Structure formats: structure tokens, C-alpha cells
Amino acid sequence: EEHEIQAAYDYANFKAQSELENVTLRADHERKSAYLAKLEIDLEVARENEDRTLVIRDDAQINLDSAVEDLEIKRQFYAQELARITEDLAVMEEVINIFQSRVANMQD
């Protein structure tokens, strides 16, 4: 009879411990499930942000390429205009020299 009482006591103790552990495990499971749901939302938000960032990056690259192309066109135009103006200046200096020479010859 003493063994039966001890066995019943051990069983009751085991059952109480098991129920306490089940409560703890359920609470832990609920906490981890809530955290998993949060992570799933965070992952979706991160993917949306990544998609928007990639679009922004692609747009920025297109704008950069366009600006570089525009600047190259302006650089070429500047170089052509500089060459033309330099040539015009040389011609004007030659005309001035000829004019000054003729004026000097007229005074003699």
C-alpha cells in the first residue's frame, strides 16, 4: 500500500510538472509564433523596400548615363566653338596687323 501511495504521489507530481511544462511550452510557442509573424511582415516590407530601391537605382543610373551623354555633347560643342573662336581670333589679329601696317604705310 505504501508503494501505491508513493506511486500515486509520483504520478500526481509528474502530472503537475507535465501540465506546468505544457503551459510554459504553449506560452513559448505563442511567443515564437508571434515573433515569426512579425518576421514574416518584416521580410515582406524589406522585399518591397528592396524592389523600390532597385527601381530608384535603375532610374538614377539612367539619369546618370543621360547626364554623362549630355555633358559629352556639351564638351564636344565647347571644343568645336573654342577651335572656331581661336581661328576667328587669329584671322582678326591678322586683319588688325594688315590694317596697322597699311595705316603706318599711309603716314609715311
Side-chain angles (χ1 to χ4, degrees):
E1 185 175 303
E2 188 178 313
H3 289 294
E4 288 177 11
I5 293 173
Q6 183 64 40
Y9 176 76
D10 288 345
Y11 175 72
N13 192 23
F14 170 76
K15 188 168 180 175
Q17 291 293 328
S18 293
E19 287 177 9
L20 181 61
E21 185 176 358
N22 280 340
V23 168
T24 302
L25 290 174
R26 275 191 218 105
D28 190 47
H29 182 266
E30 288 175 11
R31 182 180 56 79
K32 288 181 179 179
S33 293
Y35 184 61
L36 178 61
K38 178 193 173 305
L39 289 177
E40 287 171 345
I41 291 169
D42 290 347
L43 180 60
E44 183 63 28
V45 170
R47 285 183 176 147
E48 289 171 2
N49 284 338
E50 180 184 29
D51 291 343
R52 280 193 304 270
T53 301
L54 291 174
V55 168
I56 290 169
R57 183 205 61 195
D58 292 344
D59 289 346
Q61 187 63 51
I62 289 168
N63 290 338
L64 176 64
D65 293 344
S66 177
V68 167
E69 183 179 324
D70 186 48
L71 289 174
E72 178 59 24
I73 290 169
K74 288 177 181 175
R75 186 197 65 76
Q76 289 175 5
F77 176 76
Y78 175 79
Q80 288 172 351
E81 286 299 298
L82 182 62
R84 183 186 63 78
I85 290 169
T86 302
E87 193 176 301
D88 288 350
L89 182 59
V91 169
M92 290 175 73
E93 285 178 358
E94 182 63 28
V95 169
I96 290 170
N97 288 337
I98 292 171
F99 178 75
Q100 287 175 341
S101 173
R102 287 189 179 171
V103 168
N105 286 340
M106 288 172 55
Q107 291 176 353
D108 288 336

